[in-house]
């Protein structure tokens, strides 16, 4: 009989993964914003 993962644990894992992805996206947008700002000031 196969043991299925706990639905609650699976849900927490998915939420944690999504939070990391959203955090990475936010950091990427901030870095992009700073690069654009520096390029405009320098150019």
């Amino acid at each position: 009989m196969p043991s299925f993962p706990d639905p609650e644990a699976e849900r927490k894992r998915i939420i944690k993964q999504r939070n990391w992805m959203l955090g990475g996206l936010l950091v990427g947008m901030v870095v992009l914003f700073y690069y654009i700002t520096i390029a405009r000031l320098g150019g």
Side-chain angles (χ1 to χ4, degrees):
M1 183 172 171
S3 62
F4 293 103
D6 181 21
E8 187 68 23
E10 186 72 10
R11 196 172 133 274
K12 284 182 182 177
R13 188 186 64 81
I14 290 170
I15 288 172
K16 186 192 285 187
Q17 189 177 4
R18 191 176 58 199
N19 285 348
W20 274 107
M21 194 176 66
L22 285 172
L25 186 67
L26 187 64
V27 168
M29 289 177 74
V30 168
V31 168
L32 185 65
F33 175 76
Y34 275 111
Y35 273 129
I36 290 170
T37 303
I38 289 169
R40 284 189 171 196
L41 289 177

